[in-house]
């Protein structure tokens, strides 16, 4: 019963995870969270990026050219749960790398898609490792 409960808690917390739960102990930005109950634009975009990534992975596994349905350049303008974080030079640098990989993925041949896709997923992981470790377990599924 205990195990069942903790699994349930894990599942629930995944559904509502933003960065502010854990891995953010170096700052006390929790007090600055603008929208604690709703989801930020950036969180919604990230979820769409994850689903889109899953679709691209399936396409690549089928030997098809992956195509994206997400307006990923919005990563620069979407409002984040913690706006300070998304305004940082660190965030912009990681977002640039991610954007470059997405563009490469759109313009590559079907044969080149798998390794570029992997590099793109690594660009998600790198930003998350530095700024927002919570969702990394989930992002790993894209590999
Ligand atoms: C430039 C940094 C950066 C990059 C690159 C990045 N993320 Fe994120 N991600 C964030 C931040 C910051 C948040 C927290 C958003 C918020 O709460 O406003 C987040 C949140 C998330 C979440 C949790 C959303 C929720 O439900 O609250 C998921 C899932 C996620 N990202 C997946 C991805 C995937 C998949 C990629 C690559 C396709 C990616 N991220 C690339 C910074 C990044």
């Amino acid at each position: 019963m205990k195990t069942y409960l903790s699994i349930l808690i894990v599942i629930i917390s995944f559904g509502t995870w933003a960065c502010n739960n854990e891995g953010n102990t170096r700052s006390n930005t929790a007090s600055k969270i603008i929208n604690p109950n709703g989801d930020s634009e950036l969180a919604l975009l990230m979820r769409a990026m994850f689903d889109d990534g899953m679709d691209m992975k399936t396409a690549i596994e089928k030997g098809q050219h992956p195509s994206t349905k997400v307006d990923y350049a919005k990563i620069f303008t979407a409002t984040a749960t913690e706006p300070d974080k998304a305004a940082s030079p660190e965030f912009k640098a990681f977002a640039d790398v991610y954007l470059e990989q997405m563009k490469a993925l759109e313009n590559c041949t079907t044969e080149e898609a798998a390794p570029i896709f992997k590099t793109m997923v690594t660009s998600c992981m790198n930003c998350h490792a530095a700024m927002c470790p919570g969702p990394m377990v989930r992002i790993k599924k894209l590999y």
Side-chain angles (χ1 to χ4, degrees):
M1 187 61 191
K2 240 187 180 165
T3 326
Y4 171 75
L5 259 179
S6 40
I7 291 172
L8 200 69
I9 288 165
V10 168
I11 292 170
I12 290 168
S13 60
F14 267 123
T16 55
W17 203 306
C19 303
N20 42 309
N21 292 352
E22 227 177 73
N24 193 28
T25 42
R26 67 193 144 99
S27 64
N28 61 346
T29 40
S31 55
K32 283 188 242 162
I33 293 167
I34 283 178
N35 191 10
N37 301 314
D39 300 308
S40 70
E41 279 173 30
L42 189 63
L44 294 175
L45 174 68
M46 289 285 163
R47 261 175 249 169
M49 280 157 55
F50 177 81
D51 293 343
D52 194 57
M54 278 299 192
D55 289 347
M56 289 197 280
K57 179 180 170 183
T58 309
I60 291 170
E61 281 169 351
K62 284 188 196 155
Q64 296 163 355
H65 197 282
S67 64
T68 175
K69 288 168 221 71
V70 170
D71 189 2
Y72 50 83
K74 278 203 184 126
I75 192 169
F76 288 110
T77 53
T79 318
T81 310
E82 298 169 68
D84 292 356
K85 204 176 245 183
S88 69
E90 201 184 6
F91 180 91
K92 291 212 163 67
F94 282 119
D96 274 336
V97 179
Y98 161 70
L99 223 72
E100 242 167 63
Q101 295 307 321
M102 285 301 288
K103 281 186 189 145
L105 203 53
E106 284 188 311
N107 297 317
C108 72
T109 65
T110 307
E111 292 72 42
E112 291 164 336
I116 297 176
F117 181 79
K118 264 190 206 148
T119 314
M120 188 280 287
V121 176
T122 301
S123 76
C124 308
M125 292 293 271
N126 287 344
C127 185
H128 278 267
M131 311 196 75
C132 177
M136 288 175 78
V137 183
R138 193 161 152 201
I139 298 173
K140 259 188 209 153
K141 291 188 193 142
L142 293 174
Y143 278 123

